[in-house]
Structure formats: C-alpha cells, structure tokens
Amino acid sequence: YQRRVRDAGVLYCLYPTSVMTSHGIAIGLKSKRGHRITPVPKRIKASNRKANRRSSSSKLVSEVIREVTGYAPYEKRVMELLKNNLDKRALRVAKRRLGSHQRGKRKREELAGVLRQEAVNKARFEAERIKAQKEKEAKEIKETKETKESK
C-alpha cells in the first residue's frame, strides 16, 4: 500500500515496512521517509475545462430567452425583498425554491445584479432626460431673446 505525504512543500512516499521495493522507492519509518519522488500531476477538473465555459452565443440565447419570458414569480418576490433590503429573507425564499444554499446565494446575487443594472440604467436615463430638458429650455430662451431683438 502507498501513502503520499507532503512535508514542507516536498512530496514523499511512505510504505509500512522499511525495505526497498522492486520499483526503487525507499520505504521506512517517519524519521527516514523515503526519497523524493515526482508529484503526481493534478487532473484537470471538468468544471475548469474550456469546454464547460459558456460561449458568447449561448449567453446571447439566454439573454433573449430571459427578455422574452421575463422572471418567475419567486424571482419577482426575491427582487421585491431585495428592494426592501431583506437579503436574508430573499436568500431563504430562493433557497427553498432552488433546493440548496449555494444555488440560493447564486440566484440572489444574480437578481441583485439585475436590480443594480436597472438602477444604473434608470439613473442614466434620468440624467439624459434632465440634460435634454435643460437644452430645450436654453433653446427656448435663446429664441425668445432673438424674437425680442428683431422687434
């Protein structure tokens, strides 16, 4: 049987008896731990592979579907709770509906991001509206001055 031990960043191999094996790896007591061996390379997790990352086209499809279908009733409720600063309750609702704590947290963050984006868009739209209104007023004032001067 083989047990690998990491000591001060170096990987050692341990065996239960103190003899040299046929494949050349030293074995022995804890004080005489065998010779250094090359570490076994880590396998790439499926979750870290490029193949599992979402492509831009699939993101676009998801966005279009979300735009067309809107939000589920529980998502609307979570968004309403987030608007009222009830993050903990929003997490509880999402967790119950989705089945796990991690999924609930991810959904709550997703919907909080949607609300933040809506707030940014609303602020930008309001700023543009105010700017256009000021330009319109300035234009009207200029026109009234011109008409007074022409008389």
Side-chain angles (χ1 to χ4, degrees), residues 29 40 65 68 124:
L29 299 171
V40 177
I65 289 171
V68 171
R124 187 179 297 135

Side-chain angles (χ1 to χ4, degrees), residues 57-79:
S57 60
S58 70
K59 283 181 187 175
L60 177 66
V61 168
S62 298
E63 287 174 12
V64 169
I65 289 171
R66 173 64 80 185
E67 198 173 305
V68 171
T69 59
Y71 293 95
Y74 85 93
E75 289 175 329
K76 290 177 185 173
R77 184 173 175 204
V78 168
M79 288 167 83

